[in-house]
């Protein structure tokens, strides 16, 4: 089945640790996105990428980093510089980079700082 | 930058009644508008989109949305609500910046359908 897979589903991070969230898609989509979801704030864009080896900062990129070495993969690293990382993280992809096709979302990773 | 607003945090409706979830937009140029639904602890699912053409757009699960340019609105509607429609609904708009395209979401509206 084609789709977008995020792992792990739940992740716990200690203070000062970096953690990496995985996002893989087998839809042959060009564009990929990372969003953060907090209660009552909707989805906020962290990073997005339209092509391999190229990505752009979204509205809340500070404390996060990404890479796009392969078309199907767009991992997100939450660094120790991110002061409030507890949130639900959603990865998405879309077929084209023009913005007129819908995005497909993964099932999300819930990150908790312990 | 483009934006969307969802003025209602929550909408309550009785099963079998029509439902409306509101969305207004602010864009320069032609808007590309989307509706998504999210069930608890899940990702978002696409419902429908407006790119161009007919102002009434039909989507998944019996939902439709009406694009109104004069009122800058894109309200989601369904003629007869089901309890299973209870979920979080997001309106989104394409934003184009520096040659790159991205989706900007509203804050979401929680729909509660009561038996």
């Amino acid at each position: 089945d084609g789709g977008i897979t995020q792992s792990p589903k739940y992740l716990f991070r200690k203070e000062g640790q970096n953690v990496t969230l995985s996002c893989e898609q087998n839809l042959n989509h060009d564009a990929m996105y990372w969003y953060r979801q907090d209660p009552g704030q909707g989805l906020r864009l962290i990073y997005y990428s339209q092509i391999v080896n190229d990505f752009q900062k979204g509205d809340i990129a500070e404390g996060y980093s990404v890479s796009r070495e392969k078309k199907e993969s767009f991992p997100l690293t939450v660094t120790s510089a991110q002061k409030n990382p507890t949130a639900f993280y959603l990865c998405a992809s879309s077929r084209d980079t023009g913005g007129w096709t819908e995005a497909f979302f993964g099932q999300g990773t819930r990150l908790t700082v312990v | 930058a483009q934006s969307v607003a969802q003025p209602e945090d929550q909408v309550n409706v009785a099963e079998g009644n029509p439902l409306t979830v509101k969305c207004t937009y602010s864009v320069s140029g032609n808007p590309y508008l989307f509706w998504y639904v999210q069930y608890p602890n899940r990702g978002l699912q696409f419902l429908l989109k407006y790119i161009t053409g007919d102002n009434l757009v039909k989507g998944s699960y019996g939902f439709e949305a009406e694009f109104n340019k004069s009122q800058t609105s894109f309200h989601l509607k369904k003629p007869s609500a089901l309890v299973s429609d209870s979920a979080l609904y997001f309106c989104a708009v394409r934003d184009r910046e520096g040659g790159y395209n991205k989706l900007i979401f509203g804050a979401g509206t929680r729909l509660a359908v009561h038996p």
Side-chain angles (χ1 to χ4, degrees), chain B residues 13-76:
Chain B
V13 64
E15 188 175 28
N17 283 0
L19 69 87
T20 298
V21 183
K22 296 179 179 178
C23 173
T24 59
Y25 64 88
S26 174
V27 303
S28 55
N30 295 321
Y32 293 177
L33 296 161
F34 303 80
W35 274 103
Y36 290 83
V37 60
Q38 184 181 33
Y39 297 97
N41 295 311
R42 309 283 285 183
L44 276 66
Q45 296 177 31
F46 169 75
L47 284 177
L48 50 81
K49 66 181 177 184
Y50 173 83
I51 303 299
T52 186
D54 291 339
N55 290 341
L56 186 63
V57 180
K58 294 190 182 298
S60 306
Y61 312 120
F63 284 94
E64 58 189 27
E66 186 173 6
F67 173 71
N68 188 316
K69 189 171 183 179
S70 63
Q71 297 185 4
T72 62
S73 67
F74 189 55
H75 300 334
L76 182 71

Side-chain angles (χ1 to χ4, degrees), chain A residues 9 33 35 37 40-43 45 48 50 54 56 59 88 90 97-103 105-107 110, chain B residues 32 34 36 38 41-46 49 51 88 90 94 96-97 99-108:
Chain A
K9 189 172 182 179
Y33 311 83
Y35 289 91
Q37 186 176 18
Q41 294 194 47
L43 276 68
L45 184 63
Y48 58 110
Q50 294 190 161
D54 183 54
Q56 303 297 314
D59 300 318
F88 191 49
L90 288 162
T97 57
W100 51 79
T101 57
E102 59 272 25
F105 281 79
Q107 296 304 297
R110 189 166 296 281
Chain B
Y32 293 177
F34 303 80
Y36 290 83
Q38 184 181 33
N41 295 311
R42 309 283 285 183
L44 276 66
Q45 296 177 31
F46 169 75
K49 66 181 177 184
I51 303 299
L88 190 55
F90 289 97
R94 184 200 73 164
R96 185 170 178 83
E97 183 177 344
Y100 294 91
N101 295 290
K102 54 187 177 180
L103 267 182
I104 303 299
F105 285 83

Side-chain angles (χ1 to χ4, degrees), chain A residues 52-91:
Chain A
V52 173
N53 292 323
D54 183 54
F55 46 83
Q56 303 297 314
K57 291 182 178 180
D59 300 318
I60 57 164
E62 185 175 351
Y64 300 97
S65 65
V66 294
S67 62
R68 187 88 186 273
E69 298 177 359
K70 299 185 294 183
K71 187 176 184 178
E72 59 270 23
S73 179
F74 192 41
L76 173 74
T77 296
V78 184
T79 74
S80 57
Q82 171 48 240
K83 297 306 178 188
N84 185 22
T86 294
F88 191 49
Y89 291 86
L90 288 162
C91 181

